[in-house]
Amino acid sequence: MAALNGRDLLTLAELSSPEVQELLHLATQLKSQQLNLRCHKILGLLFSKASTRTRVSFTVAMYQLGGQVIDLNPNVTQVSRGEPVQDTARVLDRYLDALAIRTFAQDELETFAKYAQIPVINALTDLEHPCQILADLMTIQEHFGQLTNLTLTYVGDGNNVANSLMLGCALVGMNVRIATPNGYEPNVTVVEKARAIANNKTQVTILKDPYAATEGTHVIYTDVWASMGQESQASDRNPIFQPYQINTQLLSLADKDAIVLHCLPAHRGEEITNEVIEGSQSLVWEQAENRMHAQKALLASILGAEEF
Ligand code: CP
Ligand code: NVA
């Protein structure tokens, strides 16, 4: 029960395929209550961006493990007054057992991890959203009973969620297709890492055409067209992304048993229609619930929780 004992999770690329499989298995056991774990530790949440799911699911997961959470709102700590990250990290290290950080730059997260010896977890940066993707993979496995021989298509902005999805799919042996407009492709370095992980056993395909990308796919996924921090670009982006909307027409090209995922929050009428998100193929609420189970597994593994 100590597979990831003491480790950081800054990017999905630092997990191996067996480690991801083990986390998903653990999350499933925790969800079905086949396993009860205890860990009397303290997690800090340092979030510089808004959050509903990540904040609440981390908090509830930690409480259910018997631990505690401190919400380190940057506005009421010295972080917002410019205390250097190196200093904050070394101090929090002496109080907490783990720290989940939501911020803008991946570099800032890496600096925290460098200066704090405690495990640091990426709760979303501009580059990645690894905890989201653990829940997504859990949802897919739960629905299809497997992860191999499946294709996931992401249509929309090549953002943090798209980047982590490429890595996650490559790690579990799924094909992944990312369809974005010109200029909004996923991070090139992450694409290369995902391809190296896939090692030609599965495909990581980047394309422009949302229709070609959706043809026969098993999972169709989207996210907002303007992420947190990009709100001022929304009116310029909306017309560019319109062909990438998940609507019934696009969904009809996917496999007839395909499922629809969205990390939420969703902008109905933009990246996804109300009809599709509320439709029978949508698993977005199960997906949101699984954030808690997947993160409980992650915390249990990192913090060395024990069976009771
Ligand atoms: N999907 C997700 O991370 O949601 P929140 O921004 O509400 O945490
Ligand atoms: N790409 C979105 C995800 C929100 C969970 C953002 O970064 O705002």
Side-chain angles (χ1 to χ4, degrees):
M1 196 37 272
L4 301 180
N5 211 2
R7 297 239 313 255
D8 295 326
L9 181 64
L10 309 183
T11 159
L12 270 188
E14 61 201 5
L15 294 181
S16 66
S17 298
E19 284 167 349
V20 174
Q21 301 288 359
E22 197 174 326
L23 281 176
L24 298 180
H25 179 63
L26 183 57
T28 305
Q29 284 183 306
L30 289 168
K31 183 173 182 176
S32 63
Q33 296 180 339
Q34 284 169 46
L35 188 64
N36 282 305
L37 295 172
R38 272 287 171 271
C39 146
H40 300 285
K41 303 253 170 109
I42 302 180
L43 171 73
L45 298 181
L46 185 56
F47 281 24
S48 302
K49 292 174 173 173
S51 170
T52 299
R53 281 143 287 269
T54 311
R55 179 189 298 284
V56 179
S57 57
F58 261 121
T59 305
V60 174
M62 201 63 193
Y63 287 172
Q64 289 186 354
L65 285 170
Q68 297 185 48
V69 173
I70 302 181
D71 186 357
L72 300 159
N73 179 344
N75 294 323
V76 297
T77 59
Q78 300 288 3
V79 170
S80 59
R81 294 184 59 250
E83 181 167 10
V85 168
Q86 300 89 300
D87 297 2
T88 307
R90 280 176 290 186
V91 172
L92 293 179
D93 176 70
R94 289 167 184 249
Y95 303 143
L96 301 168
D97 297 303
L99 185 57
I101 297 179
R102 171 168 286 204
T103 192
F104 295 85
Q106 184 78 11
D107 281 359
E108 186 188 323
L109 182 78
E110 284 168 8
T111 307
F112 261 107
K114 182 175 167 194
Y115 284 90
Q117 302 309 307
I118 54 170
V120 172
I121 300 170
N122 181 348
L124 181 147
T125 60
D126 291 345
L127 187 67
E128 273 206 54
H129 196 2
C131 297
Q132 175 69 51
I133 276 55
L134 291 175
D136 301 341
L137 296 174
M138 180 182 177
T139 310
I140 297 165
Q141 189 170 47
E142 205 169 55
H143 181 79
F144 290 103
Q146 64 185 64
L147 287 165
T148 48
N149 300 316
L150 294 174
T151 297
L152 178 147
T153 295
Y154 173 96
V155 287
D157 186 24
N159 60 16
N160 40 14
V161 169
N163 289 334
S164 293
L165 271 173
M166 290 187 298
L167 294 169
C169 289
L171 281 162
V172 298
M174 287 178 70
N175 296 303
V176 55
R177 303 176 192 154
I178 308 282
T180 73
N182 265 328
Y184 296 93
E185 294 84 0
N187 180 280
V188 179
T189 310
V190 179
V191 174
E192 283 168 9
K193 276 188 199 160
R195 287 194 172 135
I197 293 167
N199 196 21
N200 286 327
K201 293 191 191 81
T202 57
Q203 302 305 310
V204 179
T205 312
I206 312 300
L207 60 178
K208 302 283 155 235
D209 183 352
Y211 296 96
T214 305
E215 195 79 53
T217 201
H218 304 102
V219 182
I220 181 162
Y221 195 127
T222 192
D223 183 17
V224 290
W225 293 338
S227 284
M228 289 182 276
Q230 299 173 333
E231 290 83 353
S232 64
Q233 300 172 28
S235 55
D236 292 337
R237 285 175 171 240
N238 283 3
I240 298 170
F241 281 97
Q242 202 58 53
Y244 295 80
Q245 181 186 68
I246 301 189
N247 49 38
T248 48
Q249 193 196 349
L250 190 66
L251 184 55
S252 70
L253 299 174
D255 185 89
K256 66 175 178 31
D257 297 319
I259 60 168
V260 176
L261 298 182
H262 190 309
C263 57
L264 305 175
H267 292 180
R268 287 168 169 78
E270 292 183 13
E271 76 275 3
I272 193 162
T273 59
N274 187 58
E275 198 178 0
V276 169
I277 199 168
E278 298 292 353
S280 59
Q281 288 168 275
S282 167
L283 288 186
V284 300
W285 315 117
E286 287 78 0
Q287 181 186 8
E289 176 185 334
N290 285 338
R291 294 295 304 278
M292 186 178 70
H293 306 298
Q295 282 155 209
K296 199 191 289 178
L298 179 69
L299 289 167
S301 183
I302 285 178
L303 293 170
E306 288 176 358
E307 209 168 338
F308 79 105

